[in-house]
Amino acid sequence: MESRAQDDLPSTEIIPLALPKGTEKLCELCQKRAYLQCGRCRVTYYCDADHQQSDWIGIHKRICQLLIPIRTPSLFSMQRAGRIENLLKTKELIEICRLVAESKLSEGKHQEAVPAAQACLRCSTDVYGPNTVQLVPAYLLLADANMGMNNLALVAELLSQAEWAVLKSPECGYAVHHRLHRSMGCLHTATGHFEAALFHFANDVRVVTRKLCRCVLSTFSHEAFRRIYFQIYFASEEYGLDSTVICGAYFLMAAVFVKLGQPAIVHSLYTEVAETWHSHLAKLLQSHIQNMQKNHDMLEPAFDEGQKVEVDKMLRSILAFEQDETRKEPGIEALVAHALAMLSFLGGDAVKALEFGRMALEASQLIQNHDLTEPIRALLQLLGKDPQLTSV
């Protein structure tokens, strides 16, 4: 956590007698009685200095000055034009808070994501009202942040509110459904309710491969699997069957089967994830190389850091599973290592790209005339021309 001295946050003590009768200021984070206010915007309040510091790191430093016109009553703000302007500014705040929360979650900074998610929920409530479907994205962000801190009781409460809002809105889009089912599946996985977890993850994908069907039918009752298989698979309706978005659901389903001790199912799901991401990354790499040739130089990374961290974690987990000596398959190992090499290259990390590229080549050479050998060599040749590698 950043030091208080580094940020040098000014705050002033609230004098209760100076407040209008019957009013009380509440802490931005915990909603308890506030005793301090931000000395910069003077419209945000805290119960103590620790909560002020947490909020500053989490979101407040991004939105401090933006809050002033929204939270400062004026004659203009009470007029129709003023109300419309404040509404637009609040919607802007919602988007900023959402992006900050998502970024911190992708970096694994769950505690820092909480203030941004809370601010997103608070602003969304101000704009759309309580218990509306527009609050669901904020509920899910807050649930994901608390999931990372293992606050499962609070996660269950937040997801229950999100589910109720979705049930009241039959016109709710596929994207919201898919995100809700994914979060519900993660909660049930964490609490050990594996069939419930699979039910929700299966709602997050459209099809299950025939090989996977046979494995699942041997593990669960036929009726239990029918419930899973014939659900509406929201993510695929929104993004398409070949989308990398679907991979997240497959990966999470695999985590359930790891705990259930079903390596055959895990392998099937991991293979689906690896093949989809490998195909996607190969297309990105081809486009990137064409742009490099036109510009005669390395371009900016094709992924932002949050995306790269998430995909890297997923592929590394698959690689570790597939490298286990009891089930080692050089073909899938080469596929995943090549995907990681392409991801590292596109993310601007040439050293890691070389490391995974060499690993992929070694695995591919264990299979005669493997179709990935030449693409892997081509990537290694490209990396060899990169000046960043001259000292490697």
Side-chain angles (χ1 to χ4, degrees):
M1 182 174 286
E2 300 173 31
S3 67
R4 191 165 296 138
Q6 179 181 346
D7 286 318
D8 191 25
L9 297 179
S11 60
T12 56
E13 188 175 351
I14 297 174
I15 302 174
L17 293 177
L19 297 175
K21 188 176 181 180
T23 63
E24 185 177 64
K25 300 302 182 182
L26 303 178
C27 177
E28 189 77 4
L29 292 192
C30 66
Q31 296 300 293
K32 293 180 181 178
R33 185 172 182 177
Y35 298 95
L36 300 174
Q37 70 175 358
C38 173
R40 297 185 180 182
C41 66
R42 296 188 174 275
V43 293
T44 311
Y45 304 90
Y46 303 98
C47 61
D48 58 31
D50 287 338
H51 274 194
Q52 181 183 9
Q53 179 71 7
S54 296
D55 191 40
W56 178 260
I57 293 171
I59 187 62
H60 192 68
K61 64 183 174 183
R62 290 285 303 273
I63 63 173
C64 181
Q65 297 305 301
L66 295 175
L67 291 170
I68 296 174
I70 295 175
R71 294 182 175 180
T72 304
S74 66
L75 181 61
F76 175 70
S77 68
M78 292 184 286
Q79 297 172 353
R80 184 173 183 275
R83 291 196 300 270
I84 293 174
E85 183 175 310
N86 275 355
L87 179 65
L88 294 175
K89 288 179 178 178
T90 307
K91 287 184 176 181
E92 180 185 352
L93 275 180
I94 293 172
E95 184 65 9
I96 292 172
C97 295
R98 181 185 67 80
L99 292 173
V100 170
E102 288 178 349
S103 175
K104 290 184 178 295
L105 286 172
S106 70
E107 296 172 15
K109 298 177 180 178
H110 300 99
Q111 189 167 354
E112 289 185 19
V114 169
Q118 285 182 330
C120 184
L121 179 59
R122 190 178 303 110
C123 291
S124 297
T125 304
D126 290 343
V127 172
Y128 302 108
N131 304 316
T132 55
V133 73
Q134 289 86 352
L135 306 188
V136 172
Y139 280 133
L140 297 181
L141 287 172
L142 200 51
D144 288 348
N146 281 279
M147 181 83 72
M149 296 186 293
N150 204 36
N151 297 330
L152 300 184
L154 180 55
V155 173
E157 181 183 336
L158 290 164
L159 293 182
S160 177
Q161 294 179 66
E163 191 173 27
W164 175 241
V166 169
L167 288 172
K168 292 194 304 178
S169 306
E171 76 285 356
C172 185
Y174 289 119
V176 173
H177 278 281
H178 121 75
R179 288 190 59 198
L180 175 60
H181 279 293
R182 186 166 296 190
S183 294
M184 293 289 288
C186 289
L187 174 62
H188 286 301
T189 300
T191 54
H193 299 102
F194 297 131
E195 282 205 27
L198 289 171
F199 173 81
H200 286 287
F201 290 144
N203 270 307
D204 194 23
V205 293
R206 182 170 181 80
V207 293
V208 183
T209 62
R210 289 184 179 180
K211 183 177 180 182
L212 177 59
C213 289
R214 291 195 297 271
C215 294
V216 175
L217 283 170
S218 68
T219 307
F220 299 101
S221 69
H222 189 264
E223 184 58 34
F225 182 66
R226 281 173 61 85
R227 285 194 306 111
I228 295 172
Y229 186 73
F230 289 106
Q231 295 305 309
I232 300 173
Y233 301 102
F234 297 108
S236 64
E237 294 292 339
E238 178 72 10
Y239 302 106
L241 293 178
D242 297 325
S243 170
T244 53
V245 176
I246 309 300
C247 290
Y250 280 124
F251 183 76
L252 292 169
M253 288 177 74
V256 176
F257 284 109
V258 167
K259 294 183 178 182
L260 290 171
Q262 296 292 330
I265 303 178
V266 176
H267 174 73
S268 292
L269 288 164
Y270 277 171
T271 300
E272 190 77 25
V273 174
E275 289 177 346
T276 301
W277 266 110
H278 186 274
S279 175
H280 181 69
L281 289 166
K283 292 174 184 176
L284 284 179
L285 179 62
Q286 183 179 11
S287 175
H288 195 71
I289 291 172
Q290 290 172 351
N291 289 332
M292 283 172 53
Q293 291 170 344
K294 290 177 184 178
N295 297 327
H296 306 291
D297 199 358
M298 288 289 291
L299 303 179
E300 290 297 317
F303 286 88
D304 64 41
E305 190 59 29
Q307 288 175 311
K308 183 178 181 296
V309 168
E310 183 178 356
V311 181
D312 182 78
K313 181 180 177 181
M314 193 184 301
L315 292 175
R316 282 175 184 264
S317 297
I318 296 172
L319 184 62
F321 177 86
E322 298 297 345
Q323 285 179 324
D324 188 291
E325 290 296 333
T326 61
R327 54 179 170 268
K328 194 167 184 178
E329 293 187 23
I332 189 67
E333 183 181 347
L335 182 80
V336 180
H338 187 212
L340 280 163
M342 292 189 289
L343 176 68
S344 299
F345 179 81
L346 291 166
D349 190 340
V351 175
K352 282 293 181 186
L354 182 64
E355 176 186 336
F356 285 118
R358 287 170 175 167
M359 185 187 302
L361 182 62
E362 182 179 342
S364 72
Q365 289 176 332
L366 296 176
I367 302 174
Q368 189 174 7
N369 298 322
H370 194 280
D371 57 3
L372 283 182
T373 301
E374 288 308 314
I376 294 169
R377 281 178 173 159
L379 178 58
L380 288 172
Q381 183 181 14
L382 184 64
L383 286 164
K385 295 177 180 178
D386 190 337
Q388 294 183 56
L389 298 175
T390 54
S391 60
V392 176

